[in-house]
Amino acid sequence: MAVEWVTEPFDDEDSLASLAPYVRGWFESTFSQLTPPQRFSFKLIGEGNNIVIASPTGSGKTLAAFMAILSELFKMGERGELKDSIYCVYVSPLKALDNDVRKNLLAPLRGIREVAARDGLELPEIRVALRTGDVTQSEKQRQLASPPHILITTPESLAVLLNAPKFSNSLRSVRWVVVDEIHELVSSKRGVHLSLSLERLADLVGKEFVRIGLGATLHPLEEAAKFLVGYREDGELRDCKLVDVTWYKPLEVKVVCPVKDLVHASADELNEGMYEMLDRLISRHVTTLVFTNTRSGTERVTYHLKRKWKEKYNDETIGAHHGSLSREVRLDVENRLKSGRLKAVISSTSLELGIDVGFIDLVVQIGSPKSVTRAVQRIGRSGHRFEDTSRGVVIALDRDDLVEVAVMLKCALEKRLDRVQVVKESLDILAQHVVGMALQKKWDFYEALRLIRRSYPYRQLKEEDFRSVLRYLAGHHVGLEDRRVYGKIWYDEEDGVFGRRGKYTRVIYYLNIGAIPDETKVDVYRLPDKVHVGEIEEGFLERLRPGDIFVLGGKLFVFKHARGMRCFVESAPKGAVPTIPSWFSEMLPLSFDLALEVQRFRGEVARMISSGEEKRKVVSWIASNYPVDRRAASMICEYIREQHLFTGGRVPGFKELLVERTRYSGREYLVFHCLFGRRVNDALARAFGIAASDALGSSVGLVVNDNGFSLVLPQGKEVDVTSLVKTVVGYDLEGVLRSNIRRTELMRRRFRHVAARSFLVLRNYKGYKISVNKQHMNAQTLLRVCEEISDDFPAISETYREILMDVMDLEGAEKVLAWLREGELKLDTIRTSSPSPFSHNLILTGDADVILMKDRRRRLIELHEAVMRKIRSGGLV
Amino acid sequence: MELLRGVFGIEPFPAVLLKDVRTAVIADMHIGFESAMANMGLFVPKVQLSQELEALRQVGKLTSAERLLIAGDVKHEFGEFNTTGFRELLNALESMRRLFSKLVVVRGNHDTYLPKFTGKVDIELLEEFAEGRYLVAHGDVEVSSPRTEGEVVIIGHEHPVVVLYDEVGGKERIPCFLVGRLYDGRDIIVLPAFSTLVSGSEVNVMPKEELLSPVLRESADVDEMDVIGVTEFGYMHLPKLGVLRASARA
């Protein structure tokens, strides 16, 4: 297979000569030169090559992709071969981008015809149309009557169109498919969804079309190529050319600290400092793009900026942008941003996806963006023209952030990206497409399987897994009578054929398609008057215990009780502190590669400190080798020095694992200073938790984050670390996790979403919306029932797969255990009377979970005893 | 295990035996729950009925009860009644009728259209069951005044559940009996739901005003009620509800 890197651009003359003369004429009269990606793409696409182009903002990507296509379309028009049919499909995950691309095509389409007209040539019109969930009925009718030549759409809409009875016929003439923001799609289930759509489209067209992938930088780019092109009938990967021009754009970055003392600054002071800093930065630039990592963060920052500087920051001058906002609001913000009327836009992740945002001269990131690649992608949004420098500032909010970001930005400057994580073989996504396929026609089992396996993520799909999906969709797990309702396809296992069933199935498919799960919102009411104060996620509600204190909309509340999808709270008393992190489900994971770099850095600084280097010298070293100001450098040094002093020199450095036995708030903690990023730590934490639970014969609590994890042990129980480690390094990690994941709450959380994607729980059905049916039955019960049906119930096996492969990094965790086993990762244990500086976050801030004791009978007995103990100690009995 | 004078819990099931009248009492079977869910787009596989019938089989064996009394909500599904649901319920009633010589159903708020079945299966349908010392009702409305001295009231409807936490954050929801007194002096037992799928009232963490049954809200000394958890391994004796609620607040 030829995945071929193309590193030498073509001559401008060569590139332009490959275009039709009037196309060339228009281009030369409009632009003074070709941009770097264009120097590759005009010729390569013109020659019909599949290609992936990684290039930064402002590099003329749209024309890079479309010029050769427009040229070919106009030539067809000249020859009278242009029919009322679709020849090119452009797909991006973001509607805003779709809007932009359509607008950006109008000028060349008009301009090229004008140039041709001047030479006496009348070219037919090339029609471009947008097809997304937002498009009106009348527009859809128009498109049916007069199909566009170029269709611009989203992954979900494409899947719907493949099944549109009449409109899908227009897709049979497709010759080019452009996939934009491919870096975003490669690592998500949305991409897996699109990948199957592309194979179904190829099947519909009946012959190969040219596949063009566009995106920001990612590593390794070969993965993006394989994802885009998939496999041929003969089993070989289709050919693809690779072009990467991302590093042409200069990068200027630094990390700053909003207060002098991150440790002792109160939450208020930290906030004040952050807003002061934000204000300074925004005021000094023309337009700033501010990234927070969460939607709630976006809301909060926007709200406080407006509150503190009413004249400067108001609805006219700044705007918030995230997925939960209405289409109108988002469109309005995007338009004002483009026309330069906004001083700042605050966003969570949506603007990371590239829209032509107009002039942005600074990107501010609040808190760590968690991976080098993401940092580069976000900061790369600034600097409008290709030659403009991308400028970014990261505001660190705690000391772990500070250390992490310093290392991250250095890697960014050195162009060392972290590996992209590819999602594969999702049975829930497959279920959606099988329904779509069944709606189209009757399929032979192997014919369908062959099509599915042409998609890269499904290359290794097992026959049994495909069969179990068919059985599930056909309702074979319920009685014959009930299949009318439960079955969305019929499946004759003996003859090996399947097809559609049920009069509602088409509607179910249209209304429920997609990979993005609907977070079911739980309404929160404040007692005693039951005022609605906001919403939380169902997954978060599951975790809440009566008495827990959490943040919502900037205020503190105490959880009282819940019924169904309604949650009741009281305002927290003065001086209360949160007992549970509010945003756990939205935390992005630190990448494994970057985590190792952070370890190296910590070890280096620790070494300097323990060898007696003067503080001044250490700070200078940090400030001159890493993109941090002196204040930040000083804080980093102080942080590591504190750990050094507190533990008598035991600072975990590169490939050093420190296990700290400590107590906090009346509980025993075993803190593993294990800086490998959340995905690896998720696997390790659960492996250690399982070993501890089995050794102690009791349930064990966990807190996991990027820097390590803690085991929370029940009172009076102690465990020997050395024997614990010995047990865990001897594990068949995948086997142990697979057979024990059921004992964790993580299983329940993920099952919720998989169930929705598998059409087991519908978002929208006969007028019922998902919140209604969730009132009656929770995920836990549904999970239990599905398990009783069979071990390979697809929603269940997909949940296991998602947890082991997407949530956890099994490979990384196995590597760490191998290092431990061979002594490459050195183990050290200490006991402290209270948590060391590095362990604060490992106890208070992270993803909490529980490993339930294996023996359910014993578990109930222990639970009973725990309840009685608590009551007796409270003097209540 | 004797819950009240003459009323025995049929361990480990959410059922009681009225010994002197040889009657087993359960509540809230909610047959057809899965169909109702499927009609709303939640395609939960059907497991409930076979589990319930198996449990009833064992209850019959353990007690040799002559009569099965269901304190309401034998079926789920309000409104539109489809043929598969009809057939499922009919089969269920026939199976139950075969396990016990007599079948009595006290009407619950979900038991619409039940009179349709009295013609097809030999069951007795009542608004309230009053025999000897016992008054069995569903619990969705206030119960009648006392008829005799020492009357025992038995209701369902509430689906009581206790939520228990261990020290490390593990959580379990355990269905339970509530055994106590009404303000008018009568004894009362609230039965846990026999259904394995329906959600319940978390009685140890919610305020009294939020309880579903007006009998409990208005007429019972809720804090003084004994709580007996029902698990597959047997009953779990817990402190009084008031004590459990105070400890949950801490």
Side-chain angles (χ1 to χ4, degrees):
Chain A
M1 155 19 203
V3 160
E4 199 190 304
W5 277 93
V6 183
T7 48
E8 287 306 313
F10 301 99
D11 263 337
D12 281 11
E13 180 50 43
D14 239 346
S15 294
L16 291 167
S18 68
L19 303 171
Y22 35 82
V23 176
R24 176 179 183 158
W26 172 81
F27 188 89
E28 285 183 304
S29 66
T30 318
F31 303 101
S32 55
Q33 54 175 207
L34 277 72
T35 63
Q38 290 166 357
R39 291 197 182 103
F40 291 87
S41 70
F42 286 4
K43 192 154 150 73
L44 289 172
I45 295 176
E47 288 170 354
N49 288 292
N50 292 332
I51 185 170
V52 171
I53 306 174
S55 83
T57 302
S59 58
K61 260 193 289 184
T62 311
L63 286 184
F66 278 99
M67 211 79 268
I69 298 173
L70 294 188
S71 177
E72 190 52 39
L73 284 175
F74 276 118
K75 280 198 215 151
M76 281 170 71
E78 247 190 298
R79 296 194 295 267
E81 288 171 8
L82 202 64
K83 299 199 182 45
D84 286 342
S85 202
I86 302 172
Y87 294 97
C88 173
V89 175
Y90 167 94
V91 191
S92 94
L94 189 61
K95 291 178 205 168
L97 180 54
D98 284 352
N99 273 315
D100 273 352
V101 168
R102 192 187 69 85
K103 279 198 215 118
N104 291 347
L105 286 177
L106 293 179
L109 285 174
R110 192 178 38 241
I112 291 168
R113 291 182 77 227
E114 277 167 15
V115 169
R118 256 182 266 136
D119 290 335
L121 184 54
E122 201 193 320
L123 291 173
E125 250 188 69
I126 306 277
R127 293 189 296 275
V128 182
L130 194 59
R131 188 65 170 248
T132 68
D134 291 344
V135 165
T136 62
Q137 250 323 97
S138 54
E139 172 62 23
K140 287 185 193 169
Q141 302 281 47
R142 217 173 310 138
Q143 287 177 17
L144 186 56
S146 175
H149 302 112
I150 300 175
L151 182 74
I152 298 179
T153 188
T154 61
E156 291 73 29
S157 290
L158 178 60
V160 167
L161 286 176
L162 285 170
N163 276 98
K166 298 199 200 100
F167 195 76
S168 56
N169 281 317
S170 310
L171 289 168
R172 288 178 195 276
S173 45
V174 168
R175 290 178 50 186
W176 298 272
V177 172
V178 180
V179 177
D180 208 340
E181 301 301 312
I182 201 169
H183 57 283
E184 195 58 44
L185 292 167
V186 168
S187 55
S188 78
K189 280 196 172 184
R190 257 184 122 184
V192 174
H193 201 278
L194 176 62
S195 165
L196 271 180
S197 288
L198 291 182
E199 292 314 319
R200 286 178 63 195
L201 178 61
D203 185 64
L204 184 66
V205 172
K207 53 181 204 242
E208 300 283 0
F209 42 71
V210 175
R211 301 174 186 223
I212 300 155
L214 301 173
T217 185
L218 74 87
H219 163 69
L221 205 57
E222 283 85 345
E223 283 301 303
K226 292 182 197 166
F227 163 80
L228 176 70
V229 300
Y231 292 80
R232 291 197 300 256
E233 267 303 337
D234 64 5
E236 290 297 309
L237 266 171
R238 296 185 179 100
D239 292 345
C240 191
K241 303 267 188 252
L242 285 184
V243 169
D244 190 343
V245 294
T246 44
W247 300 111
Y248 284 61
K249 213 160 148 73
L251 193 68
E252 223 179 77
V253 294
K254 72 171 183 233
V255 55
V256 296
C257 202
V259 293
K260 283 210 190 72
D261 185 348
L262 266 178
V263 190
H264 298 107
S266 66
D268 284 334
E269 282 165 5
L270 189 58
N271 264 333
E272 278 298 312
M274 184 189 84
Y275 287 112
E276 292 289 327
M277 186 160 260
L278 255 183
D279 173 46
R280 267 201 307 280
L281 289 168
I282 295 174
S283 302
R284 267 192 255 136
H285 290 83
V286 178
T287 305
T288 306
L289 178 53
V290 181
F291 280 105
T292 68
N293 284 337
T294 67
R295 287 173 192 177
S296 44
T298 301
E299 293 278 342
R300 249 197 319 275
V301 170
T302 313
Y303 170 72
H304 286 294
L305 279 176
K306 286 186 193 168
R307 196 180 55 85
K308 290 169 85 73
W309 295 280
K310 281 199 207 17
E311 273 92 56
K312 229 192 294 186
Y313 305 124
N314 49 53
D315 287 336
E316 300 294 308
T317 59
I318 72 172
H321 191 287
H322 60 71
S324 289
L325 293 173
S326 75
R327 176 175 88 93
E328 291 80 35
V329 172
R330 280 183 278 129
L331 215 59
D332 176 56
V333 171
E334 288 157 19
N335 287 330
R336 283 190 292 141
L337 181 59
K338 265 175 273 190
S339 54
R341 281 181 284 155
L342 286 179
K343 200 90 182 88
V345 173
I346 298 95
S347 172
S348 50
T349 58
S350 53
L351 274 180
E352 178 179 294
L353 303 178
I355 49 173
D356 175 19
V357 288
F359 186 76
I360 290 193
D361 51 341
L362 178 70
V363 167
V364 175
Q365 162 76 40
I366 299 179
S368 168
K370 295 296 177 180
S371 85
V372 183
T373 309
R374 192 171 294 113
V376 171
Q377 286 163 2
R378 288 183 175 182
I379 295 170
R381 306 290 309 116
S382 70
H384 179 55
R385 288 166 317 173
F386 195 69
E387 331 69 83
D388 292 341
T389 305
S390 289
R391 273 196 188 82
V393 171
V394 182
I395 302 181
L397 297 176
D398 70 36
R399 302 197 290 178
D400 284 323
D401 250 10
L402 197 51
V403 173
E404 184 179 301
V405 178
V407 179
M408 177 190 304
L409 294 182
K410 183 168 161 82
C411 288
L413 289 170
E414 291 173 0
K415 302 177 180 168
R416 291 186 293 140
L417 298 180
D418 15 45
R419 279 194 76 102
V420 71
Q421 175 207 336
V422 179
V423 178
K424 296 210 175 154
E425 261 176 51
S426 313
L427 296 182
D428 49 1
I429 302 290
L430 180 60
Q432 289 190 13
H433 274 288
V434 168
V435 173
M437 286 166 74
L439 283 169
Q440 273 175 308
K441 68 172 202 184
K442 213 164 80 165
W443 287 85
D444 168 78
F445 179 91
Y446 288 102
E447 183 199 356
L449 184 56
R450 271 198 306 274
L451 185 158
I452 292 162
R453 280 179 174 162
R454 289 204 276 276
S455 134
Y456 178 57
Y458 289 97
R459 187 60 188 158
Q460 326 239 275
L461 180 67
K462 295 202 197 72
E463 244 182 74
E464 315 97 76
D465 288 335
F466 184 44
R467 197 166 284 122
S468 81
V469 169
L470 289 175
R471 285 192 191 127
Y472 152 70
L473 286 172
H476 286 191
H477 55 284
V478 296
L480 280 167
E481 288 181 340
D482 294 312
R483 285 181 204 176
R484 256 189 322 116
V485 176
Y486 283 76
K488 307 188 180 56
I489 67 173
W490 58 261
Y491 171 43
D492 185 332
E493 217 172 303
E494 244 184 68
D495 287 346
V497 272
F498 67 90
R500 69 207 258 202
R501 147 169 232 170
K503 56 182 176 170
Y504 291 108
T505 305
R506 190 177 288 282
V507 179
I508 290 176
Y509 180 76
Y510 287 161
L511 293 180
N512 290 275
I513 212 164
I516 308 170
D518 262 344
E519 260 319 326
T520 319
K521 290 299 182 210
V522 173
D523 288 309
V524 183
Y525 299 92
R526 189 190 59 210
L527 299 167
D529 39 342
K530 298 199 179 162
V531 171
H532 185 260
V533 290
E535 291 167 338
I536 57 176
E537 289 172 17
E538 192 188 341
F540 183 51
L541 178 63
E542 278 282 301
R543 277 256 75 194
L544 281 175
R545 310 174 42 153
D548 270 334
I549 301 175
F550 64 98
V551 178
L552 182 62
K555 297 204 187 70
L556 279 179
F557 293 102
V558 183
F559 173 68
K560 292 273 128 189
H561 74 276
R563 186 192 275 284
M565 290 291 124
R566 309 171 98 225
C567 162
F568 298 96
V569 300
E570 278 174 5
S571 291
K574 248 188 154 37
V577 287
T579 58
I580 183 170
S582 302
W583 32 269
F584 79 95
S585 72
E586 298 182 74
M587 282 202 300
L588 302 163
L590 180 69
S591 68
F592 184 58
D593 300 337
L594 181 52
L596 287 175
E597 292 301 318
V598 180
Q599 282 186 24
R600 234 188 274 268
F601 172 71
R602 276 203 321 203
E604 191 52 42
V605 175
R607 204 193 44 76
M608 277 191 265
I609 291 172
S610 64
S611 68
E613 282 281 358
E614 254 188 277
K615 174 169 175 177
R616 205 173 39 86
K617 283 226 177 111
V618 181
V619 172
S620 290
W621 180 84
I622 297 174
S624 49
N625 282 292
Y626 290 82
V628 297
D629 59 18
R630 278 202 84 81
R631 184 155 86 169
S634 174
M635 263 186 269
I636 292 173
C637 177
E638 240 342 274
Y639 187 31
I640 297 177
R641 206 171 78 91
E642 262 182 44
Q643 179 75 8
H644 172 86
L645 291 173
F646 192 97
T647 63
R650 318 278 267 284
V651 178
F654 185 61
K655 291 204 179 157
E656 285 171 8
L657 169 61
L658 177 67
V659 181
E660 176 183 343
R661 206 191 291 270
T662 190
R663 304 201 86 230
Y664 179 74
S665 209
R667 289 215 179 101
E668 279 293 320
Y669 285 85
L670 208 51
V671 181
F672 287 69
H673 295 267
C674 175
L675 212 169
F676 290 107
R678 221 187 62 228
R679 292 184 62 228
V680 166
N681 288 346
D682 252 325
L684 292 177
R686 283 171 176 90
F688 277 96
I690 288 160
S693 171
D694 290 344
L696 293 172
S698 66
S699 299
V700 166
L702 301 176
V703 184
V704 186
N705 71 18
D706 292 315
N707 292 24
F709 58 92
S710 292
L711 299 184
V712 189
L713 305 176
Q715 270 193 29
K717 303 260 186 175
E718 273 230 8
V719 70
D720 177 47
V721 177
T722 323
S723 64
L724 200 66
V725 170
K726 192 149 182 252
T727 308
V728 177
V729 298
Y731 273 165
D732 155 27
L733 186 62
E734 180 169 351
V736 167
L737 287 176
R738 206 172 263 287
S739 52
N740 285 283
I741 236 67
R742 187 58 187 93
R743 294 201 255 156
T744 69
E745 288 191 4
L746 183 57
M747 180 86 192
R748 213 177 305 160
R749 275 183 236 151
R750 288 288 162 156
F751 178 74
R752 224 189 295 275
H753 296 154
V754 172
R757 284 189 216 106
S758 311
F759 289 173
L760 182 60
V761 179
L762 295 179
R763 198 156 63 210
N764 211 316
Y765 182 62
K766 295 192 192 174
Y768 287 103
K769 294 276 166 63
I770 206 177
S771 55
V772 175
N773 59 41
K774 284 282 184 79
Q775 292 262 7
H776 299 269
M777 189 163 199
N778 58 30
Q780 187 178 12
T781 313
L782 183 59
L783 176 56
R784 182 171 45 86
V785 172
C786 289
E787 277 181 318
E788 289 172 28
I789 293 297
S790 86
D791 279 334
D792 62 354
F793 199 71
I796 303 227
S797 48
E798 175 57 25
T799 306
Y800 278 101
R801 188 211 64 79
E802 193 179 288
I803 291 175
L804 289 172
M805 302 299 159
D806 303 345
V807 178
M808 299 184 177
D809 178 357
L810 213 52
E811 217 182 283
E814 273 165 357
K815 208 181 286 187
V816 172
L817 290 182
W819 288 339
L820 247 185
R821 208 180 304 127
E822 288 143 29
E824 202 179 321
L825 175 62
K826 295 190 189 9
L827 175 67
D828 191 11
T829 58
I830 57 169
R831 189 189 281 274
T832 55
S833 53
S834 66
S836 69
F838 279 11
S839 55
H840 286 167
N841 279 344
L842 289 174
I843 288 174
L844 295 170
T845 313
D847 190 12
D849 200 343
V850 181
I851 306 279
L852 297 171
M853 214 171 97
K854 230 181 211 153
D855 181 344
R856 185 166 151 80
R857 181 185 214 118
R858 271 227 55 99
R859 191 160 92 223
L860 288 172
I861 292 173
E862 294 250 338
L863 184 62
H864 189 203
E865 281 171 13
V867 170
M868 297 313 293
R869 252 201 312 272
K870 181 167 188 215
I871 286 175
R872 273 185 225 117
S873 71
L876 295 161
V877 118
Chain B
M1 187 223 139
E2 195 164 21
L3 297 175
L4 286 176
R5 202 170 33 93
V7 180
F8 293 82
I10 307 170
E11 202 160 352
F13 299 100
V16 294
L17 176 68
L18 307 180
K19 213 166 188 186
D20 48 357
V21 291
R22 313 263 276 277
T23 303
V25 190
I26 64 172
D28 299 295
M29 292 183 77
H30 288 272
I31 296 171
F33 183 75
E34 298 101 327
S35 294
M37 290 297 105
N39 275 327
M40 288 198 288
L42 205 170
F43 298 97
V44 52
K46 293 188 160 185
V47 296
Q48 185 181 246
L49 183 57
S50 59
Q51 287 173 348
E52 288 180 316
L53 289 177
E54 178 52 37
L56 282 175
R57 208 165 287 133
Q58 299 200 26
V59 163
K61 278 225 295 272
L62 283 171
T63 61
S64 317
E66 281 175 1
R67 181 167 52 175
L68 177 64
L69 169 55
I70 303 172
D73 285 356
V74 63
K75 64 178 272 294
H76 192 75
E77 209 174 342
F78 278 114
E80 180 105 43
F81 211 70
N82 56 46
T83 44
T84 21
F86 187 89
R87 223 168 315 153
E88 187 181 22
L89 183 57
L90 188 58
N91 290 335
L93 291 173
E94 282 170 351
S95 303
M96 290 191 278
R97 176 65 188 77
R98 279 195 290 275
L99 289 174
F100 299 87
S101 319
K102 285 210 208 61
L103 182 57
V104 182
V105 175
V106 169
R107 237 219 306 212
N109 49 305
H110 285 246
D111 289 324
T112 48
Y113 308 111
L114 265 194
K116 269 196 206 170
F117 293 86
T118 47
K120 301 196 179 348
V121 192
D122 176 21
I123 59 170
E124 200 183 339
L125 187 60
L126 304 167
E127 291 302 310
E128 267 185 356
F129 170 93
E131 205 180 280
R133 287 165 43 233
Y134 307 109
L135 178 62
V136 181
H138 183 54
D140 55 325
V141 295
E142 284 278 13
V143 294
S144 312
S145 319
R147 296 164 302 126
T148 76
E149 201 50 55
E151 190 169 76
V152 174
V153 177
I154 302 176
I155 61 170
H157 185 61
E158 192 70 45
H159 308 181
V161 150
V162 281
V163 190
L164 301 176
Y165 297 91
D166 64 24
E167 296 157 295
V168 295
K171 169 167 126 173
E172 289 285 341
R173 298 163 104 250
I174 299 175
C176 59
F177 291 100
L178 295 177
V179 184
R181 278 250 144 112
L182 292 178
Y183 290 130
D184 63 23
R186 287 184 281 183
D187 287 323
I188 178 168
I189 296 182
V190 184
L191 300 172
F194 203 72
S195 159
T196 48
L197 297 183
V198 292
S199 59
S201 295
E202 295 176 356
V203 292
N204 63 322
V205 293
M206 57 194 286
K208 191 172 173 176
E209 312 81 68
E210 298 281 326
L211 290 171
L212 292 177
S213 170
V215 178
L216 294 177
R217 273 201 318 269
E218 326 279 318
S219 320
D221 188 355
V222 167
D223 280 335
E224 280 300 303
M225 294 182 102
D226 283 315
V227 180
I228 291 115
V230 176
T231 80
E232 67 262 43
F233 305 109
Y235 293 164
M236 186 189 277
H237 292 263
L238 290 164
K240 288 195 196 292
L241 191 52
V243 171
L244 280 178
R245 282 160 74 177
S247 120
R249 270 193 292 275

